[in-house]
C-alpha cells in the first residue's frame, strides 16, 4: 500500500483488522457453543470502526493547523468513545446487574484494536509534520 495516503492506509487496515477480528471472535464463540450475535457485538464493531475512522480523519484534517493540540484532540476522541460506550452499551450490559466477560469482550476487543491503530497512525502522522 505504498501509493496510498495515510488516512486511506489507516481506514483500509482498520477495516481489515476489525473484519478478521470479528471473524475470529465469532469463531471462538462458535467453538464454545455460545450465542454468536449477543451482547451487541455487531453494533460494537461498527461503532468502534466508525468512531476510530472519524476521529483519525479529524486529527489528520487539523494536523497542521492544530499540531500542538493533537494530543488533547486525541484524548478528546477517547472521551467521545467512552460517552458512546456509556450511552449505547453500558445500560444493556448492566441491565442484569452484572457485566459478563462476554459482554466485556464484545466491546473491548474492537475498542482495543481501534485504539492501537489510532495511536500508531497518529504517531506516524505526527512524525511526518
Amino acid at each position: 500500500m505504498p501509493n496510498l495516503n495515510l488516512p486511506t492506509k489507516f481506514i483500509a487496515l482498520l477495516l481489515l483488522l476489525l473484519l478478521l477480528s470479528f471473524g475470529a471472535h465469532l469463531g471462538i464463540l462458535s467453538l464454545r457453543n455460545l450465542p454468536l450475535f449477543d451482547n451487541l457485538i455487531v453494533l460494537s464493531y461498527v461503532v468502534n470502526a466508525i468512531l476510530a475512522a472519524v476521529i483519525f480523519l479529524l486529527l489528520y484534517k487539523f494536523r497542521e493547523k492544530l499540531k500542538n493540540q493533537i494530543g488533547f484532540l486525541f484524548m478528546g476522541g477517547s472521551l467521545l468513545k467512552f460517552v458512546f460506550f456509556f450511552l449505547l452499551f453500558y445500560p444493556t450490559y448492566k441491565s442484569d446487574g452484572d457485566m459478563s466477560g462476554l459482554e466485556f469482550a464484545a466491546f473491548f476487543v474492537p475498542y482495543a484494536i481501534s485504539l492501537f491503530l489510532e495511536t500508531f497512525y497518529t504517531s506516524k502522522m505526527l512524525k511526518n509534520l
Side-chain angles (χ1 to χ4, degrees):
M1 295 191 294
N3 297 343
L4 302 176
N5 64 13
L6 199 63
T8 305
K9 288 180 184 179
F10 171 77
I11 290 173
L13 189 57
L14 175 69
L15 292 177
L16 176 67
L17 288 179
L18 286 177
L19 282 172
L20 290 173
S21 172
F22 183 68
H25 201 145
L26 292 180
I28 291 168
L29 291 173
S30 177
L31 286 174
R32 294 182 170 197
N33 294 317
L34 296 167
L36 298 182
F37 298 103
D38 277 2
N39 305 314
L40 306 175
I41 190 169
V42 174
L43 182 64
S44 178
Y45 274 86
V46 170
V47 166
N48 275 293
I50 291 170
L51 286 174
V54 167
I55 290 166
F56 182 77
L57 290 173
L58 287 172
L59 291 174
Y60 189 80
K61 180 179 180 178
F62 294 110
R63 72 190 183 282
E64 296 286 339
K65 190 175 184 180
L66 301 170
K67 63 182 169 187
N68 293 327
Q69 287 82 27
I70 291 291
F72 292 110
L73 294 173
F74 183 85
M75 290 189 311
S78 294
L79 176 65
L80 182 65
K81 286 182 180 182
F82 280 113
V83 168
F84 269 81
F85 171 76
F86 282 106
L87 291 176
L88 293 176
F89 300 98
Y90 192 74
T92 302
Y93 292 166
K94 287 296 275 186
S95 64
D96 61 356
D98 183 39
M99 183 183 298
S100 73
L102 293 174
E103 291 168 331
F104 177 77
F107 180 81
F108 188 74
V109 170
Y111 172 80
I113 291 168
S114 300
L115 181 61
F116 172 78
L117 277 178
E118 278 180 272
T119 304
F120 180 77
Y121 273 85
T122 300
S123 172
K124 283 181 86 160
M125 178 183 68
L126 289 173
K127 284 181 186 177
N128 293 333
L129 284 179

